[in-house]
Amino acid sequence: MRCIRVSDPDSFDGLVNGALKASSAVYVLFFGREAPGTNKSWCSDCVIADPLVREEIGKVENSILLEVPVDRSTDQDSATNTFRKRGDIRLTRIPTLLRWGKAGPSAIRLVEGECTRAGIRRYIALTDESSGHATPLLESEERAVTDI
């Protein structure tokens, strides 16, 4: 797995497009930016999810993980607020894990406490474009992994 940190929101589209040229297994993780003093995210769910996301995405052949740090929604001056306003992303909660394809992000996303080891594994299987079809969801799973 290759990790790419998106430090500048203005570079997001270029980095995603570059990743898509190199791999069909492109994932984007939006997480709470690390505090300068501690180097730990202010988002406790993000601290828990980060190693799980890295481990499970790392098992996907030729995968690329774009890591996008975002500030608190109350920080109105933050450039990362653009991800909350973009129609294709509509970021409302973090962590948020998206699979990105040539047509944009998957309609299915994992958010907050859904980023468990089992949830991530299921998400990878559900969004695997190489299989040629999406794995059907059970009704309970659909409620658990969809945030539209």
Side-chain angles (χ1 to χ4, degrees), residues 24-88:
S24 63
V26 176
Y27 296 87
V28 179
L29 176 64
F30 294 94
F31 67 96
R33 183 182 308 281
E34 300 89 347
T38 63
N39 207 28
K40 286 185 103 178
S41 174
W42 53 266
C43 167
S44 59
D45 285 342
C46 299
V47 172
I48 295 166
D50 181 66
L52 300 175
V53 168
R54 287 172 173 271
E55 184 177 338
E56 295 303 323
I57 299 296
K59 295 175 184 176
V60 178
E61 186 176 340
N62 196 34
S63 61
I64 297 176
L65 176 64
L66 283 90
E67 301 174 314
V68 185
V70 296
D71 295 312
R72 294 177 187 268
S73 59
T74 55
D75 185 356
Q76 297 301 314
D77 296 330
S78 171
T80 63
N81 277 328
T82 188
F83 298 118
R84 292 181 173 83
K85 299 171 187 169
R86 275 183 61 154
D88 60 343

Side-chain angles (χ1 to χ4, degrees), residues 83-134:
F83 298 118
R84 292 181 173 83
K85 299 171 187 169
R86 275 183 61 154
D88 60 343
I89 298 173
R90 298 180 326 272
L91 184 65
T92 58
R93 299 179 288 167
I94 57 172
T96 294
L97 180 64
L98 295 169
R99 173 97 184 234
W100 212 276
K102 293 184 192 289
S106 169
I108 301 168
R109 60 183 63 204
L110 286 187
V111 296
E112 291 180 332
E114 297 168 353
C115 292
T116 62
R117 186 175 309 282
I120 297 164
R121 287 178 181 164
R122 182 76 174 143
Y123 182 74
I124 291 168
L126 287 170
T127 59
D128 181 7
E129 295 175 356
S130 68
S131 69
H133 65 280

